[in-house]
C-alpha cells in the first residue's frame, strides 16, 4: 500500500478503493448531506419536483433553520415556511429549527464522525474536517445530484500541511491561527486543495477551537480543512451521545509519515493576536499594527466566534467590567445548547452585566441579517468574513478578531491587545 495522506485515506474509503492518487477523479458515496433554510428546500424543492424524484436516503439528510430565523419580514417568513413545510412533507428525521448555526448544531448532535464523507450546502462546511471527516461545501445544483443519487465526484487533491509547533500563549486562539495563515497565503492560498492542520499546537486545541480552524479553511481557499482525530475527538463525540464513540479506530485516519504533501511550519508560541482589516480576511496583521483604531460596535457571534469556549473567553475579559461608553456590544451565541451551558456557568450573566445585548441563536449579522450592525461604524467582530456589506451595513468597516480581542475592544473603544487586559 502506498503512503497516503488523511485526505487520500478518506477519499479512498468513500470511493470503495484501497488507495487513490492525487489528480484522479473518483465517485464518492455521501454519508451526510447538510443544508439550511437559505441553501436547501427553497432551491431543491422545485428542482426535485421538476425531475419527479425524491431523496436517496432521508436518514442521511440534516436540515438546519439558522439563516432567516427569527423571521423578521415577509421574505424570511416565506423562506422558512418553505423549509418547514418541505421537512414535514419529506418526513425528515433530522431537523434543527432555530436552535443554532448549522456548523455548530450538526456536530454537537453527533452527526459527524471520523472517516465520514460529507457535503454541506454552505461554504463553511469544512468545519466537519475538525472531526477527521472529509466535508466540503457545494452549490444547489451539486446538492441536487447528491440528494437524488447519494454520490458526487471529487478530484483527489494535493495536501497542504499547516504544521503548528509549540503552544499558543494565553489570550491567543485558533481564530488568530486562522487569520495568520490567511494573511500569509491569501484567500486563494489553499488552492482548493486539502489543508491538514497538524503539530503540537493543533493537538493541544479543544474540539471547539479545532472547529474554528477547520471552518476558516474556507477563507484560506481550500476544499477541506482536516485535523486527524484523537482522544480529544472521541471524548467530544462521547459527550455528544455518539454510540461507541470511545471505540472508534482513530489510528486508521492519520497521515502516513512518508505521504506526499507540501508542508508549511509555524511557531504557535510566537503568534500574537491577529486582526483583519476591512474588507478582507487576508488583511490580517498583529493587533499591535492597529494603534488607537476606534471601535463603535463589537459583535461576538457566528460559527467562528460564539461557541461556548468563545463566550467563556469574552467573559474572562469582561468580568467585573463595563463596555466603554459609545460602544455597542452584541452577543449571538452559536447554539441554544452552548448558551444554556454558558448560562449555567454564569458566563452569560457576566456578558450581560458588562453591557452586552444578547441576540438569537442564528447566523444573524454574519450573513447580513437582523440589522444589528450600524451604518458607518467601525466594527470589531468574531465572524469569518468582513467583505463590504457582508454584515448588512454597506458603510460599516469590519475588523475580524478573536473573542478575546473583540471583548477587549468593547472595553476600551479601540483595537486593543487582549493580553494587556488579561494581565
Amino acid at each position: 500500500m502506498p503512503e497516503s495522506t488523511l485526505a487520500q485515506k478518506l477519499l479512498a474509503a468513500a470511493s470503495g478503493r484501497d488507495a487513490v492518487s492525487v489528480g484522479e477523479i473518483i465517485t464518492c458515496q455521501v454519508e451526510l448531506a447538510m443544508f439550511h433554510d437559505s441553501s436547501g428546500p427553497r432551491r431543491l424543492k422545485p428542482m426535485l419536483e421538476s425531475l419527479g424524484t425524491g431523496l436517496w436516503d432521508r436518514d442521511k439528510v440534516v436540515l438546519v433553520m439558522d439563516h432567516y430565523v427569527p423571521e423578521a419580514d415577509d421574505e424570511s417568513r416565506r423562506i422558512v415556511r418553505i423549509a418547514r413545510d418541505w421537512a414535514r412533507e419529506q418526513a425528515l428525521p433530522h431537523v434543527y429549527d432555530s436552535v443554532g448555526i448549522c456548523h455548530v448544531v450538526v456536530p454537537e448532535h453527533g452527526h459527524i464522525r471520523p472517516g465520514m464523507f460529507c457535503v454541506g450546502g454552505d461554504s463553511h462546511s469544512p468545519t466537519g474536517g475538525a472531526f477527521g471527516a472529509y466535508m466540503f461545501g457545494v452549490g444547489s445544483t451539486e446538492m441536487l445530484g447528491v440528494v437524488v443519487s447519494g454520490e458526487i465526484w471529487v478530484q483527489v487533491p494535493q495536501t497542504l500541511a499547516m504544521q503548528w509547533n509549540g503552544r499558543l500563549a494565553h489570550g491567543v486562539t485558533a481564530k488568530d491561527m486562522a487569520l495568520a495563515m490567511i494573511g500569509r497565503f491569501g484567500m486563494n492560498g489553499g488552492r482548493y486543495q486539502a489543508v491538514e492542520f497538524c503539530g503540537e499546537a493543533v493537538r493541544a486545541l479543544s474540539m471547539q477551537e479545532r472547529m474554528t480552524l477547520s471552518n476558516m479553511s474556507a477563507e484560506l481557499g481550500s476544499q477541506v480543512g482536516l485535523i486527524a482525530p484523537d482522544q480529544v475527538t472521541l471524548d467530544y463525540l462521547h459527550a455528544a451521545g455518539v454510540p461507541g464513540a470511545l471505540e472508534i479506530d482513530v489510528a486508521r485516519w492519520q497521515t502516513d509519515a512518508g505521504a506526499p504533501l507540501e508542508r508549511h511550519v509555524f511557531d504557535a508560541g510566537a503568534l500574537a493576536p491577529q486582526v483583519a482589516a476591512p474588507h478582507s480576511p487576508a488583511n490580517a496583521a498583529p493587533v499591535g499594527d492597529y494603534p488607537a483604531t476606534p471601535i463603535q460596535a463589537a459583535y461576538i457571534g457566528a460559527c467562528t466566534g460564539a461557541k461556548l469556549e468563545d463566550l467563556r473567553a469574552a467573559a474572562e475579559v469582561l468580568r467585573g467590567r463595563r463596555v466603554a461608553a459609545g460602544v455597542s456590544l452584541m452577543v449571538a451565541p452559536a447554539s441554544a445548547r452552548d448558551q444554556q451551558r454558558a448560562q449555567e456557568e454564569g458566563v452569560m450573566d457576566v456578558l450581560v452585566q458588562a453591557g452586552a445585548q444578547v441576540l438569537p441563536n442564528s447566523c444573524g449579522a454574519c450573513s447580513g441579517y437582523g440589522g444589528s450592525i450600524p451604518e458607518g461604524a467601525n466594527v470589531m467582530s468574531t465572524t469569518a468574513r468582513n467583505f463590504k456589506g457582508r454584515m448588512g451595513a454597506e458603510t460599516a468597516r469590519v475588523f475580524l478578531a478573536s473573542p478575546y480581542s473583540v471583548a477587549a475592544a468593547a472595553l476600551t473603544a479601540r483595537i486593543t491587545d487582549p493580553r494587556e487586559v488579561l494581565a
Side-chain angles (χ1 to χ4, degrees), residues 10-11 14 28-34 56 60 106 111-121 125-126 128-129 131-138 143 146 152 154 223-224:
L10 291 167
L11 290 176
C28 295
Q29 302 298 312
V30 176
E31 296 176 81
L32 175 74
M34 181 278 293
W56 101 101
K60 294 181 179 179
V106 171
H111 290 289
I112 303 175
R113 301 176 298 282
M116 290 181 69
F117 180 90
C118 317
V119 297
S125 296
F131 295 85
Y134 201 100
M135 187 168 186
F136 60 102
V138 299
M143 185 62 79
V146 167
I152 190 171
V154 176
Q223 184 185 51
V224 290

Side-chain angles (χ1 to χ4, degrees), residues 101-124:
I101 303 169
C102 58
H103 310 297
V104 178
V105 169
V106 171
E108 76 179 9
H109 285 84
H111 290 289
I112 303 175
R113 301 176 298 282
M116 290 181 69
F117 180 90
C118 317
V119 297
D122 188 278
S123 59
H124 284 112

Side-chain angles (χ1 to χ4, degrees), residues 129-268:
F131 295 85
Y134 201 100
M135 187 168 186
F136 60 102
V138 299
S140 297
T141 305
E142 287 179 295
M143 185 62 79
L144 174 66
V146 167
V147 299
V148 169
S149 69
E151 298 179 341
I152 190 171
W153 67 263
V154 176
Q155 185 171 32
V156 180
Q158 178 186 15
T159 291
L160 312 177
M162 303 296 180
Q163 180 175 321
W164 285 84
N165 297 331
R167 294 290 186 101
L168 296 173
H170 184 49
V172 185
T173 70
K175 181 66 170 291
D176 299 303
M177 296 167 71
L179 290 176
M181 288 183 285
I182 299 163
R184 174 171 165 179
F185 296 108
M187 292 196 69
N188 292 316
R191 307 195 299 273
Y192 207 61
Q193 302 297 316
V195 166
E196 181 177 345
F197 303 107
C198 56
E200 180 188 358
V202 175
R203 292 193 299 272
L205 294 176
S206 68
M207 206 62 235
Q208 288 198 336
E209 282 283 85
R210 295 180 186 189
M211 289 164 64
T212 295
L213 205 57
S214 292
N215 179 295
M216 290 194 68
S217 65
E219 278 65 49
L220 195 57
S222 57
Q223 184 185 51
V224 290
L226 301 172
I227 298 175
D230 57 13
Q231 194 61 45
V232 173
T233 318
L234 302 189
D235 289 343
Y236 178 98
L237 294 175
H238 177 69
V242 174
L246 298 178
E247 282 71 55
I248 294 174
D249 179 15
V250 296
R252 179 185 178 188
W253 307 114
Q254 308 290 321
T255 290
D256 295 330
L261 49 76
E262 178 183 317
R263 189 178 302 276
H264 301 276
V265 180
F266 303 82
D267 181 359

Side-chain angles (χ1 to χ4, degrees), residues 281-352:
N283 294 335
V287 65
D289 289 6
Y290 299 88
T293 302
I295 293 296
Q296 292 86 40
Y299 185 82
I300 296 172
C303 44
T304 50
K307 300 181 289 297
L308 176 59
E309 293 188 19
D310 302 317
L311 300 174
R312 287 171 177 162
E316 185 179 350
V317 172
L318 294 169
R319 191 177 304 276
R321 300 180 169 105
R322 288 284 300 179
V323 170
V327 176
S328 173
L329 172 61
M330 294 152 282
V331 177
S335 77
R337 181 175 292 184
D338 276 355
Q339 181 172 353
Q340 178 61 36
R341 290 174 177 169
Q343 189 67 56
E344 292 167 357
E345 294 179 10
V347 166
M348 294 307 299
D349 289 339
V350 170
L351 300 176
V352 170

Side-chain angles (χ1 to χ4, degrees), residues 295-299 326-330 357 365 370-380 391-398:
I295 293 296
Q296 292 86 40
Y299 185 82
V327 176
S328 173
L329 172 61
M330 294 152 282
Q357 174 191 4
S372 52
I373 301 302
E375 292 285 352
N378 278 359
V379 184
M380 197 76 160
M391 298 185 74
E394 283 288 329
T395 58
R397 301 179 71 249
V398 179

